[in-house]
Amino acid sequence: MAEASLMRRRRVGTLLARLLMLVALGFAVMARPAAAQSILRDAETEALLRDMSRPLIEAAGLRPDNVQVVLLNNSEINAFVAGGQIVYLHSGLITNADNANEVQGVIAHELGHVTGGHIIRLQEGATQATGIMILSLILAGAAMAAGAGEAGMAGLMAGQQAAMGRFLAFSRIQENSADQAGATYLTRAGISGRGSLAFFRRLQNLEFRLNIPQDNGYARTHPLNAERIARLENIYENDPAWNRPTDPALEARFQRVKAKLAGYVDPTQQVFSRYPESDRSVPARYARAYAWHRTAHPDRALGEVQSLLTDNPHDPYFLELLGQIQLESGHPQEALTALREAVSRAPDQPLIGALLGHALIATEDPGNFEEAKRVLRIAVQRDNSNPFAWYQLGIVYDREGDQPRAALATAERYSLTGQPQLALPNAEQAMMGLQVGTPDWLRAQDIAMASRAAVEQSRRRNR
């Protein structure tokens, strides 16, 4: 009898430990929505998002230089923040939005999460919910150990429901707060709230199509869309900016970016259905150019780009695409003319500079390496978070026989891509060949120290 009781308590303890681990992992997953998602980088898109968000960032009392709007390759209509002053937008949000104003409404809402410190407070909500769950686990374990199995399981289920209810209520409060803050920022920036309401109606229609219940707001992380719309309609419709249109130039830029993004990420047939050959608008030709290039039809892609350049021969982003198609079709020498002009027309766009550096290296002409090194160094100085640019710069240093700086560039690349186990040996190799105390040596030392710490932390976790 004693042995059976002991075995029962052990099984209960094992079960509760596993349940507790699952609860903790569940809340941890909720707190890290940005993990394992692919970032999309494009010079024209990033310039547009900066200009669209700047007045909202300033209205939120933040510094535009400190806030990033990052685009993720995800077809869902969604956006979120995940710590710091970074707003993540899904590509599906851009390609499905009707206009720039809708996206501005979403950005304003997400800035409400940033200024409200909601990611930190979300962890507080998870901690409170976990505490409720732990207490119910302990009480359930005691009941089970005493032989009251059914009562213990009932208590466990009630505790789980209470914990999740607490967490969901906490999340809904944050969403309401972000809605109100977003409305304030739109008002301060003089931007209409029409797009914000249109976005919530879009979400509501999507939920209708997916048969998501619209009558139980207590089982959701977000308030019911109907409730959000009702609360915000009165605010927006009485705002002086309600009938203020978006700047036509900004809207035209948005439609271009939306089209090129669709051409790059959407299924090909969907692109050609939305932007048929009969549509000779700039966005339609732009979308088809990217779609043709992505599907390995360089002649068709070049035809679309050349028609765009006929209308606007010095557009840096059309020139960038022309050079990209030529380069990736195996004609790097031909790409140089377009990319050099693109860099001269948009000198503040390091992503275009990195592409020019890549083309210069791809010619395999040693006479181009010095120019490649110069444009790539400028590119990483203006944007040192581009692994591709560091990779190309490492190639140039290697071709020149400058192994210490080639190792440093490689360490930078691996550090940026989250591979400290590869960044560490390259940083150490760079330090051995660089003069002690120089800026490059100090940078290699910084990477080595950070990578060593990350490697040690990983080892401790895996023990």
Side-chain angles (χ1 to χ4, degrees):
M1 181 73 71
E3 183 177 349
S5 176
L6 178 61
M7 291 296 292
R8 183 170 66 248
R9 285 197 297 270
R10 286 178 176 172
R11 286 197 298 270
V12 169
T14 301
L15 173 63
L16 294 179
R18 289 177 178 174
L19 287 171
L20 182 58
M21 182 179 295
L22 288 173
V23 171
L25 287 174
F27 287 123
V29 169
M30 289 181 182
R32 281 196 285 265
Q37 299 203 51
S38 174
I39 294 176
L40 293 175
R41 300 212 57 193
D42 172 70
E44 183 178 15
T45 302
E46 292 181 3
L48 171 69
L49 292 176
R50 281 196 299 271
D51 290 345
M52 286 174 58
S53 62
R54 177 177 290 274
L56 295 166
I57 294 169
E58 292 174 344
L62 302 172
R63 294 184 59 185
D65 291 343
N66 294 338
V67 179
Q68 290 180 273
V69 181
V70 176
L71 185 63
L72 298 177
N73 188 2
N74 191 314
S75 61
E76 294 181 357
I77 303 174
N78 197 17
F80 60 90
V81 297
Q85 296 185 19
I86 305 176
V87 174
Y88 294 93
L89 304 180
H90 285 188
S91 57
L93 171 66
I94 304 294
T95 58
N96 285 282
D98 285 337
N99 51 59
N101 188 225
E102 287 188 20
V103 178
Q104 287 179 308
V106 174
I107 292 172
H109 171 89
E110 297 304 328
L111 288 172
H113 284 304
V114 172
T115 56
H118 289 171
I119 293 302
I120 296 174
R121 293 182 179 180
L122 184 68
Q123 187 60 46
E124 295 175 5
T127 300
Q128 293 175 13
T130 303
I132 295 172
M133 191 63 189
I134 291 173
L135 179 59
S136 69
L137 285 169
I138 294 172
L139 295 175
M144 290 177 184
E150 292 186 4
M153 288 304 298
L156 181 61
M157 293 176 64
Q160 182 179 11
Q161 185 175 6
M164 188 55 68
R166 172 67 67 87
F167 183 80
L168 293 176
F170 196 92
S171 177
R172 289 193 299 273
I173 290 171
Q174 289 189 327
E175 291 300 325
N176 281 327
S177 173
D179 285 348
Q180 296 299 316
T184 298
Y185 303 153
L186 287 166
T187 296
R188 289 177 184 170
I191 297 174
S192 174
R194 287 182 182 272
S196 177
L197 290 178
F199 177 75
F200 286 128
R201 292 190 179 107
R202 188 183 302 279
L203 291 182
Q204 187 179 41
N205 291 336
L206 178 62
E207 291 184 349
F208 281 140
R209 291 198 299 271
L210 296 175
N211 294 319
I212 297 175
Q214 299 292 307
D215 57 354
N216 182 12
Y218 295 100
R220 299 163 58 106
T221 57
H222 291 56
L224 292 171
N225 287 307
E227 296 175 356
R228 304 173 86 170
I229 293 169
R231 278 195 296 267
L232 292 172
E233 272 182 334
N234 185 59
I235 297 174
Y236 288 137
E237 291 179 0
N238 289 289
D239 188 88
W242 173 248
N243 290 313
R244 186 173 299 163
T246 302
D247 174 51
L250 187 70
E251 182 61 34
R253 291 171 61 193
F254 173 78
Q255 295 301 331
R256 277 179 48 155
V257 164
K258 172 185 172 179
K260 75 186 293 187
L261 182 58
Y264 185 74
V265 301
D266 284 350
T268 309
Q269 287 305 115
Q270 181 177 321
V271 176
F272 291 126
S273 176
R274 181 184 294 184
Y275 301 102
E277 294 281 354
S278 58
D279 187 345
R280 301 305 298 168
S281 67
V282 169
R285 285 180 284 167
Y286 215 8
R288 292 195 298 269
Y290 270 91
W292 285 126
H293 177 53
R294 179 163 56 98
T295 55
H297 292 85
D299 292 341
R300 302 294 298 271
L302 285 171
E304 298 286 3
V305 177
Q306 292 291 2
S307 73
L308 291 169
L309 285 167
T310 298
D311 295 341
N312 195 341
H314 303 298
D315 186 294
Y317 304 114
F318 295 162
L319 289 164
E320 176 195 21
L321 179 55
L322 172 61
Q324 181 182 351
I325 294 170
Q326 292 170 327
L327 169 61
E328 294 175 359
S329 300
H331 304 283
Q333 188 65 43
E334 295 178 16
L336 297 183
T337 300
L339 291 177
R340 281 172 174 149
E341 184 178 354
V343 169
S344 69
R345 299 282 177 181
D348 59 340
Q349 297 297 338
L351 291 175
I352 303 179
L355 186 61
L356 172 58
H358 175 35
L360 289 162
I361 296 169
T363 64
E364 296 292 337
D365 181 355
N368 287 330
F369 291 170
E370 186 61 33
E371 182 185 0
K373 181 171 66 174
R374 176 176 56 80
V375 298
L376 287 166
R377 285 180 68 90
I378 292 173
V380 297
Q381 286 169 3
R382 290 178 173 166
D383 177 14
N384 66 1
S385 61
N386 185 350
F388 176 76
W390 283 112
Y391 174 65
Q392 296 299 321
L393 189 56
I395 292 175
V396 173
Y397 285 134
D398 181 69
R399 299 284 176 85
E400 291 183 339
D402 190 345
Q403 295 305 319
R405 286 182 175 79
L408 176 56
T410 303
E412 293 275 12
R413 172 166 65 98
Y414 284 132
S415 178
L416 287 170
T417 55
Q419 301 180 78
Q421 73 281 7
L422 297 175
L424 178 57
N426 280 282
E428 291 175 335
Q429 180 183 347
M431 290 174 65
M432 289 188 292
L434 295 168
Q435 183 177 347
V436 176
T438 60
D440 284 345
W441 186 89
L442 292 171
R443 178 57 188 158
Q445 183 185 52
D446 289 343
I447 295 175
M449 292 174 63
S451 299
R452 188 177 296 109
V455 169
E456 288 299 321
Q457 185 178 17
S458 178
R459 286 174 181 168
R460 286 194 296 270
R461 284 198 304 265
N462 294 329
R463 284 175 186 170

XYZ file of all heavy atoms in Angstrom, residues 402-412 422-448:
281
model
N 44.621 40.833 -47.879
C 44.510 41.421 -46.543
C 43.683 40.469 -45.672
O 42.500 40.696 -45.402
C 43.842 42.795 -46.630
C 43.911 43.576 -45.315
O 44.209 42.953 -44.281
O 43.638 44.794 -45.336
N 44.327 39.391 -45.212
C 43.615 38.347 -44.480
C 43.053 38.812 -43.130
O 41.945 38.398 -42.761
C 44.528 37.138 -44.288
C 44.913 36.438 -45.590
C 43.700 36.031 -46.404
O 42.697 35.543 -45.862
N 43.761 36.264 -47.712
N 43.746 39.659 -42.368
C 43.162 40.105 -41.097
C 41.823 40.838 -41.284
O 40.864 40.588 -40.551
C 44.229 41.036 -40.520
C 45.506 40.536 -41.103
C 45.150 40.127 -42.494
N 41.748 41.739 -42.270
C 40.493 42.469 -42.484
C 39.446 41.581 -43.155
O 38.240 41.783 -42.946
C 40.745 43.741 -43.287
C 41.427 44.819 -42.437
C 41.647 46.120 -43.180
N 42.182 47.128 -42.261
C 43.458 47.187 -41.873
N 44.332 46.292 -42.352
N 43.863 48.105 -41.018
N 39.897 40.618 -43.934
C 38.942 39.644 -44.479
C 38.313 38.852 -43.336
O 37.100 38.597 -43.329
C 39.637 38.706 -45.460
N 39.138 38.472 -42.349
C 38.620 37.741 -41.188
C 37.684 38.625 -40.367
O 36.658 38.153 -39.861
C 39.779 37.245 -40.328
N 38.029 39.918 -40.233
C 37.170 40.829 -39.477
C 35.815 40.995 -40.166
O 34.764 40.963 -39.510
C 37.854 42.190 -39.328
C 37.032 43.290 -38.642
C 36.563 42.854 -37.256
C 37.843 44.582 -38.548
N 35.811 41.160 -41.488
C 34.553 41.284 -42.218
C 33.717 40.017 -42.076
O 32.490 40.073 -41.929
C 34.830 41.569 -43.700
N 34.379 38.867 -42.087
C 33.669 37.596 -41.915
C 33.092 37.493 -40.504
O 31.965 37.016 -40.311
C 34.613 36.418 -42.195
O 35.153 36.542 -43.516
C 33.873 35.089 -42.079
N 33.864 37.963 -39.521
C 33.368 37.955 -38.136
C 32.148 38.858 -38.008
O 31.175 38.512 -37.318
C 34.471 38.420 -37.190
N 32.185 40.019 -38.661
C 31.025 40.915 -38.649
C 29.796 40.204 -39.235
O 28.688 40.286 -38.678
C 31.321 42.172 -39.470
C 32.392 43.087 -38.900
C 31.848 44.062 -37.863
O 30.703 43.887 -37.415
O 32.594 45.006 -37.512
N 31.009 30.844 -35.113
C 31.825 31.114 -36.295
C 32.427 32.513 -36.241
O 33.515 32.746 -36.783
C 30.982 30.957 -37.561
C 30.419 29.558 -37.819
C 29.506 29.557 -39.040
C 31.549 28.551 -38.007
N 31.746 33.440 -35.601
C 32.279 34.801 -35.478
C 33.534 34.813 -34.600
O 34.487 35.549 -34.879
C 31.216 35.731 -34.896
N 33.531 33.993 -33.533
C 34.631 34.019 -32.569
C 35.986 33.696 -33.195
O 36.935 34.489 -33.052
C 34.329 33.061 -31.416
C 35.418 32.927 -30.341
C 35.736 34.284 -29.730
C 34.965 31.934 -29.267
N 36.164 32.562 -33.902
C 37.495 32.281 -34.455
C 37.937 33.305 -35.493
O 39.143 33.596 -35.608
C 37.342 30.887 -35.080
C 35.881 30.692 -35.279
C 35.222 31.459 -34.180
N 37.010 33.849 -36.255
C 37.384 34.856 -37.245
C 37.812 36.157 -36.568
O 38.759 36.819 -37.013
C 36.219 35.103 -38.199
C 36.107 34.045 -39.273
O 36.859 34.061 -40.252
N 35.181 33.119 -39.098
N 37.128 36.536 -35.492
C 37.525 37.743 -34.761
C 38.905 37.556 -34.139
O 39.738 38.470 -34.155
C 36.487 38.059 -33.695
N 39.165 36.377 -33.584
C 40.475 36.107 -32.987
C 41.579 36.103 -34.047
O 42.689 36.594 -33.798
C 40.430 34.769 -32.247
C 39.550 34.813 -30.997
C 39.414 33.463 -30.325
O 39.562 32.428 -31.013
O 39.157 33.434 -29.105
N 41.267 35.557 -35.223
C 42.244 35.584 -36.315
C 42.540 37.021 -36.732
O 43.700 37.379 -36.993
C 41.715 34.787 -37.507
C 42.674 34.761 -38.703
C 42.084 34.031 -39.894
O 41.077 33.331 -39.783
N 42.701 34.207 -41.062
N 41.491 37.852 -36.799
C 41.694 39.253 -37.170
C 42.579 39.961 -36.156
O 43.481 40.731 -36.529
C 40.346 39.955 -37.289
N 42.350 39.716 -34.881
C 43.141 40.376 -33.834
C 44.621 40.031 -33.941
O 45.487 40.878 -33.676
C 42.608 39.975 -32.454
C 41.254 40.559 -32.118
S 40.600 39.916 -30.560
C 41.799 40.588 -29.402
N 44.918 38.802 -34.332
C 46.319 38.391 -34.436
C 47.053 39.111 -35.563
O 48.272 39.264 -35.523
C 46.413 36.875 -34.642
C 46.055 36.073 -33.410
S 46.392 34.294 -33.592
C 45.158 33.854 -34.829
N 46.312 39.578 -36.596
C 46.971 40.212 -37.729
C 46.864 41.721 -37.761
O 47.518 42.363 -38.584
N 46.040 42.287 -36.888
C 45.847 43.735 -36.878
C 46.699 44.387 -35.799
O 47.022 43.765 -34.781
C 44.365 44.064 -36.629
C 43.389 43.623 -37.720
C 41.950 43.737 -37.227
C 43.575 44.468 -38.990
N 47.040 45.639 -36.022
C 47.836 46.365 -35.038
C 47.008 46.623 -33.784
O 45.875 47.113 -33.854
C 48.323 47.697 -35.618
C 49.232 48.477 -34.666
C 49.753 49.764 -35.296
O 49.637 49.949 -36.511
N 50.306 50.635 -34.480
N 47.569 46.284 -32.646
C 46.861 46.419 -31.376
C 46.484 47.878 -31.127
O 47.294 48.788 -31.311
C 47.730 45.899 -30.216
C 47.025 46.134 -28.869
C 48.031 44.420 -30.390
N 45.231 48.081 -30.720
C 44.771 49.414 -30.366
C 44.142 50.199 -31.497
O 43.546 51.250 -31.249
N 44.258 49.699 -32.743
C 43.632 50.396 -33.871
C 42.121 50.167 -33.829
O 41.635 49.227 -33.190
C 44.188 49.889 -35.208
O 43.911 48.480 -35.318
C 45.688 50.123 -35.288
N 41.347 51.025 -34.517
C 39.889 50.831 -34.517
C 39.466 49.432 -34.980
O 38.544 48.846 -34.403
C 39.396 51.918 -35.473
C 40.425 53.000 -35.361
C 41.727 52.280 -35.196
N 40.109 48.896 -36.019
C 39.744 47.554 -36.492
C 40.061 46.497 -35.438
O 39.286 45.552 -35.238
C 40.475 47.232 -37.799
C 39.875 47.939 -39.009
O 38.736 48.445 -38.875
O 40.522 47.989 -40.067
N 41.205 46.632 -34.763
C 41.570 45.662 -33.717
C 40.559 45.720 -32.570
O 40.135 44.672 -32.056
C 42.970 45.953 -33.203
C 43.480 44.921 -32.219
C 44.162 43.783 -32.496
C 43.318 44.968 -30.792
N 44.451 43.092 -31.340
C 43.931 43.798 -30.276
C 42.725 45.853 -29.905
C 43.968 43.513 -28.918
C 42.755 45.572 -28.557
C 43.367 44.408 -28.068
N 40.189 46.931 -32.168
C 39.222 47.081 -31.080
C 37.871 46.496 -31.458
O 37.190 45.884 -30.625
C 39.076 48.564 -30.708
C 40.308 49.215 -30.057
C 40.113 50.716 -29.937
C 40.576 48.596 -28.687
N 37.476 46.673 -32.737
C 36.211 46.102 -33.175
C 36.271 44.574 -33.155
O 35.317 43.911 -32.728
C 35.887 46.598 -34.590
C 34.603 46.019 -35.171
C 33.408 46.309 -34.290
N 32.210 45.601 -34.754
C 31.169 45.322 -33.985
N 31.159 45.680 -32.712
N 30.135 44.690 -34.485
N 37.390 44.012 -33.599
C 37.550 42.557 -33.557
C 37.497 42.055 -32.115
O 36.903 41.004 -31.832
C 38.873 42.159 -34.217
N 38.089 42.817 -31.201
C 38.064 42.438 -29.788
C 36.627 42.448 -29.255
O 36.229 41.529 -28.519
C 38.930 43.407 -28.978
C 39.029 43.043 -27.499
C 39.779 44.085 -26.697
O 39.455 45.276 -26.761
N 40.795 43.668 -25.959
N 35.858 43.461 -29.634
C 34.459 43.533 -29.193
C 33.666 42.319 -29.681
O 32.895 41.721 -28.915
C 33.805 44.815 -29.710
C 34.313 46.066 -29.010
O 34.916 45.932 -27.923
O 34.110 47.170 -29.554
N 33.843 41.975 -30.949
C 33.108 40.825 -31.499
C 33.540 39.542 -30.796
O 32.711 38.684 -30.474
C 33.344 40.717 -33.016
C 32.750 41.931 -33.732
C 32.730 39.420 -33.570
C 33.053 41.969 -35.220
N 34.849 39.402 -30.549
C 35.360 38.201 -29.890
C 34.776 38.063 -28.489
O 34.341 36.964 -28.091
C 36.889 38.237 -29.829
